Amino acid sequence: MTWMLIRLVLTLAFVGGVLWFAARLAKRRGLGQAGGLIEVVARQRMGRASSVTVVRIADRVLVVGATEEQVTLLAEVDGEAVEEALRERQPAAGEPAATPATGVLAGSVFDRGGWTAIVAQLRERTVRR
């Protein structure tokens, strides 16, 4: 019994060490850094394997359609119009705010801001008026 517990602790320590090493390596190579040249402003899934993404690259804002096979430039939008639309969508002072989606996990299942927004919408739907 104690040998199994020791083995479990050593295995967890090994896995933790590998994850720590991978995180340091990724940080050293510049992966996962927020505030880079390319920023995903917004993403909307359109189907199982397709999405429309608004991307800011330096001072240009592009609307891109992405599927499993290709990425297509749909339009170039005015950056000021995008900023104003984002300001309009921000919650009022009393409402819970979702964290902005930046970094490697932005828009993925692991994005905390996405889950926060989903929970806020579900709460809004279940409130009795």
Side-chain angles (χ1 to χ4, degrees):
M1 179 69 179
T2 58
W3 173 243
M4 286 178 38
L5 187 61
I6 292 171
R7 223 170 85 187
L8 175 69
V9 169
L10 290 176
T11 304
L12 287 175
F14 176 74
V15 170
V18 168
L19 289 174
W20 177 77
F21 178 74
R24 284 193 52 150
L25 184 65
K27 191 174 189 179
R28 192 175 305 143
R29 292 193 179 180
L31 300 174
Q33 288 183 349
L37 182 63
I38 300 173
E39 176 188 0
V40 177
V41 177
R43 179 179 294 149
Q44 177 66 47
R45 288 184 55 133
M46 302 306 286
R48 191 183 101 246
S50 61
S51 65
V52 174
T53 307
V54 179
V55 181
R56 180 180 293 126
I57 302 174
D59 59 345
R60 297 177 68 186
V61 179
L62 307 173
V63 179
V64 177
T67 64
E68 290 181 353
E69 292 84 25
Q70 65 184 11
V71 176
T72 306
L73 175 65
L74 300 176
E76 184 171 346
V77 214
D78 181 32
E80 296 168 1
V82 171
E83 290 297 325
E84 183 162 335
L86 288 174
R87 269 184 264 139
E88 288 176 3
R89 292 192 64 186
Q90 291 200 355
E95 297 178 20
T99 57
T102 58
V104 177
L105 299 178
S108 73
V109 175
F110 302 110
D111 180 20
R112 182 176 179 166
W115 288 107
T116 305
I118 289 171
V119 169
Q121 289 176 0
L122 289 174
R123 283 185 184 151
E124 181 64 31
R125 289 184 182 188
T126 58
V127 171
R128 294 184 183 155
R129 295 174 193 242

